[in-house]
Amino acid sequence: MARHSAPRSPRRPAARRALIALASAGAALTAGASAAHAETAAPLVDVPPLRSADLGDINPQSGVNALATSVGYATGTIAGLKPNPLAGTGTDPLNNGIGTTIADFKPLNTLALTGPIAQAPSFGAVPVVGQTLGLLTPKG
């Protein structure tokens, strides 16, 4: 038998309204009880009041030194990593290049950009990246 020809169940809007009213009343009572409980409950942890810090309590130079030292140690580790782990394999995506010649100008190709990264033994050997990492690495 198709669904459209199935006999309909009798509708009872009064019962549905009563159930909705009962659920709404239960939700309101629950919310009121939890709010009342939250107001009377003692705090779990006794936190002292926070005091405001003025610039007299802060040494900006120590913060800069700590940041520079931690960044330096992180970049020192990065400087030794290989930028192209696929270098020297048949699937090296940076070993592919495309070139063009326009009129009388010098020919252009992408190997000039990807070459230093493709053949570099570490990030520290890449021209601009290596110099930047050298500035961030702590001395001594």
Side-chain angles (χ1 to χ4, degrees), residues 29-138:
L29 285 174
T30 304
S34 64
H37 183 324
E39 291 174 3
T40 61
L44 295 175
V45 178
D46 193 21
V47 179
L50 297 175
R51 64 180 181 96
S52 64
D54 52 352
L55 290 178
D57 296 330
I58 298 173
N59 184 357
Q61 187 61 35
S62 65
V64 170
N65 288 341
L67 179 65
T69 304
S70 61
V71 168
Y73 285 115
T75 57
T77 305
I78 293 171
L81 295 176
K82 285 182 72 173
N84 185 15
L86 297 174
T89 65
T91 59
D92 184 6
L94 297 177
N95 198 20
N96 297 327
I98 187 170
T100 186
T101 304
I102 301 172
D104 296 345
F105 297 109
K106 184 178 171 183
L108 299 172
N109 64 21
T110 58
L111 290 176
L113 293 174
T114 60
I117 299 171
Q119 284 104 28
S122 67
F123 277 111
V126 176
V128 176
V129 177
Q131 294 165 352
T132 305
L133 291 173
L135 292 174
L136 296 174
T137 306

